[in-house]
Amino acid sequence: QSVLTQPPSVSGAPGQRVTISCTGSSSNIGAGYDVHWYQHLPGTAPKFLIFDNSNRPSGVPDRFSGSKSGTSASLAITGLQAEDEADYYCQSYDSRLIGWVFGGGTKLTVL
Amino acid sequence: QVQLQESGPGLVKPSETLSLTCTVSGGSITYYYWSWIRQPPGKALDWIGHIYYSGSTKYNPSLKSRVTISVDTSKNQFSLKLSSVTAADTAVYYCARSPSSTWADYWGQGALVTVSS
């Protein structure tokens, strides 16, 4: 069981918008620690998508956006494309566990 | 473009020590943190720890008694040793670069390590 909770799966048709939630607690997201997001295709290197809740590294399309409120964060993907089909993970810091914590991952299926 | 590549044995016997090396190319190992993260089959990502290029380390408390991360700046490499392994340590092990110590921007493709006799 992961410290950060994500839905196991989401889906959407090409062109649509989907959101992936990441719910934490008072010792991580709720304590003010930033949330970061990664995209992962099994067998490949995870790709860095969002850092510090809502910032995109250079090269990441603006179709990807992040937000944070209270003890939760969200990743939104607009204009869904087939290439977006992957696993998505949120990550933060936990003051009780004294280290990085990850969500369980969400599998995005593009219908 | 920075690239990271994990290397090491894919099979380790129970109670022995798992050893992996990450080779960094396309950039210098200096002025960054360097992390190890693993993913057991069917489970979430699990942070193992990181090292600053100068040698200071921080480990996951749940693994701290068994983990050693070291860096060799002359070879642009850093390494992971995990002692007294059990089947629960079977996982894909990733190395990654962490500019701020709080997130990782470049990752390796991962190395599957199986603990079995």
Side-chain angles (χ1 to χ4, degrees):
Chain A
Q1 194 160 349
S2 304
V3 174
L4 305 179
T5 301
Q6 296 180 235
S9 64
V10 297
S11 63
Q16 284 189 334
R17 179 182 186 269
V18 296
T19 61
I20 298 172
S21 61
C22 174
T23 302
S25 66
S26 58
S27 60
N28 43 68
I29 300 175
Y33 294 105
D34 292 324
V35 179
H36 323 291
W37 292 89
Y38 306 91
Q39 177 192 63
H40 188 211
L41 283 163
T44 69
K47 178 183 177 182
F48 187 42
L49 274 186
I50 298 286
F51 67 98
D52 295 349
N53 309 313
S54 58
N55 296 289
R56 279 187 310 277
S58 60
V60 174
D62 59 7
R63 300 187 298 106
F64 294 89
S65 63
S67 63
K68 173 190 159 184
S69 177
T71 58
S72 296
S74 289
L75 174 70
I77 309 171
T78 58
L80 265 183
Q81 300 179 3
E83 67 200 47
D84 298 332
E85 191 162 284
D87 297 323
Y88 292 82
Y89 292 89
C90 61
Q91 178 244 315
S92 185
Y93 179 87
D94 191 286
S95 59
R96 183 174 57 87
L97 298 175
I98 317 177
W100 293 13
V101 289
F102 288 90
T106 298
K107 182 174 181 59
L108 168 62
T109 301
V110 180
L111 301 171
Chain B
Q1 177 81 341
V2 175
Q3 292 187 313
L4 294 88
Q5 180 66 58
E6 305 88 352
S7 59
L11 181 64
V12 181
K13 289 183 168 55
S15 80
E16 295 189 344
T17 296
L18 178 160
S19 295
L20 291 172
T21 296
C22 182
T23 301
V24 180
S25 59
S28 174
I29 206 164
T30 54
Y31 304 119
Y32 289 99
Y33 293 86
W34 301 91
S35 301
W36 286 98
I37 297 138
R38 68 180 182 177
Q39 186 171 33
K43 295 189 177 182
L45 294 165
D46 183 30
W47 176 73
I48 298 170
H50 63 229
I51 188 166
Y52 194 49
Y53 79 99
S54 61
S56 62
T57 55
K58 190 168 185 179
Y59 300 133
N60 184 328
S62 70
L63 299 170
K64 190 174 182 178
S65 64
R66 300 193 292 130
V67 172
T68 302
I69 298 176
S70 58
V71 63
D72 187 336
T73 54
S74 67
K75 294 183 179 178
N76 240 31
Q77 293 178 333
F78 62 107
S79 299
L80 168 71
K81 290 189 186 299
L82 182 65
S83 63
S84 305
V85 296
T86 69
D89 294 310
T90 293
V92 175
Y93 285 76
Y94 297 97
C95 60
R97 188 182 81 166
S98 306
S100 76
S101 84
T102 57
W103 40 264
D105 60 353
Y106 289 99
W107 296 57
Q109 290 202 324
L112 173 62
V113 179
T114 301
V115 178
S116 175
S117 56

